[in-house]
Amino acid sequence: MKNIETLTQEAIVLLKNLIETPSFSSEEDQTALLIENWFNQNEIPFKRENNNVWAFNKNFDKNKPTLLLNSHHDTVKPNQAYTNDPFKAIEKDGKLFGLGSNDAGGCLVSLLATFVHFYAVENLSHNIVIVASAEEESSGKNGLNSVLKHLPELDCAIVGEPTLMQLAVAEKGLLVLDVKVKGTASHAAHQNDDNAIYKSIPVMEWFKNYKFDKISEVLGPVKMTVTQISAGKQHNVVPSECDLVVDIRVTDCYSNTEILDVVKANVNAEVTPRSMHLNASSIPVTHGLVQAGIALGRTTYGSPTLSDQSVLSCQSLKLGPGETLRSHSADEFIFINEIEEGVDLYIKILSDFFRL
């Protein structure tokens, strides 16, 4: 078995290679090859579908519960404020710069190193499956959600996203609604009491003022925001429709279906969800993964940002090196020592969880 220091240094080399290999969502084929090579170099069998790559621990036992380790290797496109080459891994002042270094390359390579550490260990309390997933940034159809059908039932999961290795025990879900308020078209010079724009005002007021009864202890209240409005094509025509887009951040107190039912019961409009699968997620503070982290001085919190947790039905913990505020920023970076800490803490938390 390789020692942890060797695994960590190899993980950092892999991260540099990932940074220098463009991997926008749905275009991750070359970084998938790098991850295949990682498994080959460590003599670990793997599977691949589209640009998702996954592997099981050597002593997989179908009679044991299964823990998922997951992070993604796709990135957003670099913004125009970059001063560095986003596709060049630049190490400077203890930082590793490059697109995807923080979100979520540092998490992914740290989890890959952790998986290799435990790969051949016998008598674990859980099986381990690791998935390096695609299309996380775009919530695409060929991401982690497409792999789940190939996996055994999952008991719990660690999803690698930059949390400064603190314990994100809950994550808000996302429900985006297209809301169509209908009226009657007419000439603007004529009286019209069925103006779709005017009828949209109480609909928007409802979204602004409605309060859901249940408030999450970790994530707070459900938040609804009207973010777009579109109606009319010329000044002298009253439009027959007014279209709204509503962004709803759902807490672990509700499913997306429950939220949608409340909206439909309260607004006088056609309501169409763009998707229903990006649900909120959570894990009890009493869970072994969380307790192992707390024992190491980690703190718990609720995360407002979305990740691949949203497609999982099992209890899941978001945890990883790096800081979320650096994600999607210009000259993105991660500290080298954050990766070193990430591997160390992942291994310690899982060792406690597995009771090794």
Side-chain angles (χ1 to χ4, degrees), residues 79-309:
N79 63 59
Q80 294 181 339
Y82 263 84
T83 62
N84 299 327
D85 182 345
F87 302 110
K88 186 174 182 180
I90 301 171
E91 192 172 343
K92 182 180 179 181
D93 298 329
K95 301 174 182 177
L96 179 59
F97 292 87
L99 183 65
S101 56
N102 183 78
D103 183 17
C107 301
L108 176 60
V109 301
S110 297
L111 283 172
L112 286 167
T114 301
F115 177 79
V116 172
H117 175 80
F118 287 105
Y119 170 71
V121 176
E122 297 180 350
N123 301 315
L124 295 176
S125 62
H126 288 62
N127 302 310
I128 312 173
V129 56
I130 187 166
V131 180
S133 54
E135 298 191 15
E136 189 272 349
E137 296 289 4
S138 62
S139 300
K141 65 180 181 180
N142 292 319
L144 176 62
N145 51 307
S146 69
V147 176
L148 297 177
K149 63 180 178 288
H150 300 301
L151 306 183
E153 181 179 354
L154 300 174
D155 181 71
C156 55
I158 293 177
V159 175
E161 290 285 340
T163 71
L164 289 172
M165 290 305 290
Q166 304 302 335
L167 310 164
V169 296
E171 174 187 275
K172 284 189 175 181
L174 174 63
L175 183 60
V176 179
L177 303 179
D178 290 306
V179 179
K180 187 181 294 293
V181 181
K182 291 189 173 184
T184 302
S186 71
H187 195 293
H190 300 152
Q191 181 64 30
N192 184 348
D193 295 327
D194 197 34
N195 185 317
I197 295 177
Y198 292 158
K199 290 176 68 176
S200 72
I201 293 173
V203 173
M204 288 188 284
E205 288 287 345
W206 184 84
F207 281 113
K208 177 183 177 182
N209 297 321
Y210 185 82
K211 306 296 182 187
F212 286 86
D213 293 334
K214 292 183 283 187
I215 298 177
S216 169
E217 291 183 6
V218 181
L219 297 171
V222 173
K223 186 177 185 297
M224 299 192 292
T225 308
V226 177
T227 56
Q228 293 176 262
I229 181 170
S230 175
K233 295 182 178 179
Q234 60 191 72
H235 77 90
N236 59 350
V237 177
V238 175
S240 63
E241 297 178 350
C242 181
D243 295 311
L244 312 175
V245 177
V246 184
D247 179 293
I248 305 178
R249 302 293 164 154
V250 184
T251 73
D252 53 330
C253 292
Y254 295 93
S255 68
N256 286 359
T257 299
E258 290 172 321
I259 298 293
L260 181 62
D261 289 343
V262 172
V263 172
K264 286 185 172 181
N266 282 276
V267 301
N268 183 22
E270 288 185 1
V271 179
T272 305
R274 294 187 178 179
S275 69
M276 294 294 293
H277 68 280
L278 301 177
N279 286 289
S281 56
S282 65
I283 189 169
V285 175
T286 55
H287 194 280
L289 286 172
V290 182
Q291 287 296 305
I294 290 173
L296 292 168
R298 304 291 94 187
T299 59
T300 62
Y301 73 103
S303 172
T305 57
L306 204 64
S307 74
D308 268 334
Q309 281 183 285

